[in-house]
Amino acid sequence: MKVPFLSFQPQHSPLRTDIMEAIGRVYDSYWYVLGDEVKQFERSYAAFNQVSHCVGVANGLDALVLALRVLGVGPGDEVIVPSNTYIATWLAVTQVGATPVPVEPNPVTSNLDPAGIAAALTTRTRAIMPVHLYGQACEMGPIMALARQHNLYVVEDNAQAQGASFDGQLTGSFGDFNGTSFYPGKNLGALGDAGAMTTNNADLAQQAQVLRNYGSEKKYYNEVVGYNSRLDELQAAVLRVKLAELPRWTVQRQQIAAWYGQHLAGIADLRLPVVAPGATHVYHLYVVHTPHRDALQQHLVEQGIGTLIHYPVPPHRQRAYQALNFPVGAFPIAENLAATCLSLPMWPGMEEAHVAAVTAAIASF
């Protein structure tokens, strides 16, 4: 059995009629930018995420950038970031003129290690940006306690973890201002780029609404130097349909992960995902680790099994950040995770037979 890394068909086919109806509703409304679809989705996503406010923006990176801008983080400031993350987390920091300060992850969970944050703080630190990587909630209790102790902002990067929680509280609801992505492959995905910001602070939300729209609250009157970063009406309409399905899809992802755990148990040199106490995992990705990663990936390709690597090069080793002068070995945990991680097929609609085919191919290797 060939198993693709990702298939949209099981999610999208049953929703085709509803999604096409939603698209048609926008077409017939004759209002295509910041209309009722965006307002309705913002209300629905805020309710889903158990926060007071949601501000729709063009993509997940813009959500993080605007969050930092609204909080006043800029040149001369430092922001604590994970050494192990997708580069967008770092890009948001540098795009506002601040400096990313990497902290190593817990090697077992791959998420930012709260124990390492305190040693990285300086008088210039303004914010902490935890990333709920692969769908597992960070250990937000100690992170929030440290932030409050040192009077620091927290901006959650919730792009991979909609619906995950720590100690019963949803990711995207802890921070002062948080960003998420609705890139098509995410657990809640649009049909193109889309993103949102979440907060319980009405004043921050209002500032973000102005900033995303050219810095304008009233048309042709601009209060601040802003951005053009607005959630599209068509994408909002699609996301409204798909948001209702997200809890069901999350349960499916967790079942698929449980099947993987059962079928892969006991295979030598293969480390399976571990969930931290108090955290839940919504399995945006199912990531295993092995020192034989490259050979295993090639073997799976030959068996018709799709995989990806999330992520092969840590941000500190990217050419984009060579000016920061981090040498090889500066963040050994992140470098080891990058060299050993492999993402297995994971998508709602997978059946146990798919998982059995993947795991049989792994076992044969």
Side-chain angles (χ1 to χ4, degrees):
M1 178 186 290
K2 295 184 183 299
V3 184
F5 175 74
L6 175 64
S7 173
F8 289 118
Q9 189 274 335
Q11 289 179 282
H12 285 181
S13 289
L15 299 179
R16 179 180 175 83
T17 298
D18 291 341
I19 287 178
M20 290 304 170
E21 181 181 310
I23 291 172
R25 189 171 64 238
V26 175
Y27 187 86
D28 293 336
S29 73
Y30 304 113
W31 192 305
Y32 304 121
V33 177
L34 292 185
D36 189 59
E37 296 293 340
V38 169
K39 293 186 181 72
Q40 293 285 356
F41 175 71
E42 288 174 337
R43 282 194 284 267
S44 296
Y45 190 72
F48 170 83
N49 222 64
Q50 299 177 11
V51 294
S52 301
H53 306 280
C54 168
V55 180
V57 293
N59 55 70
L61 175 56
D62 282 3
L64 298 175
V65 171
L66 268 62
L68 292 171
R69 275 286 309 273
V70 168
L71 293 171
V73 178
D77 296 330
E78 295 177 348
V79 178
I80 301 295
V81 294
S83 60
N84 178 55
T85 184
Y86 182 56
I87 199 170
T89 314
W90 288 41
L91 291 175
V93 175
T94 51
Q95 283 192 16
V96 300
T99 301
V101 176
V103 169
E104 288 272 68
N106 180 327
V108 175
T109 67
S110 298
N111 269 342
L112 182 65
D113 189 348
I117 296 174
L121 300 179
T122 73
T123 56
R124 296 169 57 193
T125 308
R126 288 288 305 283
I128 303 171
M129 188 175 283
V131 180
H132 307 293
L133 198 65
Y134 305 149
Q136 178 175 182
C138 289
E139 298 172 68
M140 292 305 297
I143 291 174
M144 295 304 298
L146 192 65
R148 298 304 173 236
Q149 178 185 349
H150 295 277
N151 197 31
L152 303 174
Y153 293 122
V154 173
V155 177
E156 297 173 71
D157 183 337
N158 196 34
Q160 300 185 3
Q162 298 102 338
S165 64
F166 184 79
D167 283 350
Q169 182 174 341
L170 288 171
T171 57
S173 69
F174 286 90
D176 299 278
F177 221 160
N178 313 296
T180 195
S181 168
F182 304 123
Y183 183 77
K186 295 294 194 287
N187 290 27
L188 178 61
L191 300 185
D193 278 317
M197 308 160 71
T198 56
T199 183
N200 282 308
N201 187 306
D203 180 58
L204 295 181
Q206 193 274 336
Q207 291 182 56
Q209 288 168 349
V210 171
L211 201 60
R212 74 174 174 186
N213 189 34
Y214 295 100
S216 173
E217 188 168 16
K218 180 181 178 182
K219 195 173 180 67
Y220 303 130
Y221 293 84
N222 304 80
E223 291 79 38
V224 295
V225 177
Y227 296 76
N228 176 18
S229 182
R230 302 171 297 207
L231 176 60
D232 185 84
E233 279 285 288
L234 285 168
Q235 301 298 353
V238 171
L239 288 167
R240 288 180 64 193
V241 174
K242 297 179 80 173
L243 180 59
E245 304 297 321
L246 182 56
R248 181 172 65 86
W249 290 338
T250 297
V251 170
Q252 290 185 34
R253 289 177 179 274
Q254 291 169 334
Q255 177 61 74
I256 294 162
W259 286 331
Y260 271 129
Q262 294 163 12
H263 285 268
L264 292 174
I267 295 180
D269 289 333
L270 189 73
R271 181 163 63 80
L272 306 185
V274 174
V275 181
T280 67
H281 202 318
V282 296
Y283 294 98
H284 170 58
L285 298 168
Y286 189 89
V287 181
V288 298
H289 289 82
T290 173
H292 314 293
R293 190 268 311 283
D294 292 344
L296 173 59
Q297 185 178 39
Q298 181 58 40
H299 173 76
L300 293 177
V301 168
E302 294 166 357
Q303 301 296 311
I305 307 299
T307 61
L308 286 177
I309 298 172
H310 296 88
Y311 299 97
V313 182
H316 73 279
R317 296 303 303 155
Q318 297 282 2
R319 287 182 61 190
Y321 285 107
Q322 61 186 1
L324 295 179
N325 295 318
F326 290 121
V328 174
F331 299 98
I333 297 176
E335 292 174 25
N336 178 261
L337 292 175
T340 60
C341 64
L342 187 66
S343 300
L344 304 183
M346 168 61 76
W347 31 272
M350 281 184 70
E351 299 176 354
E352 189 169 8
H354 293 111
V355 173
V358 175
T359 56
I362 293 173
S364 70
F365 176 81

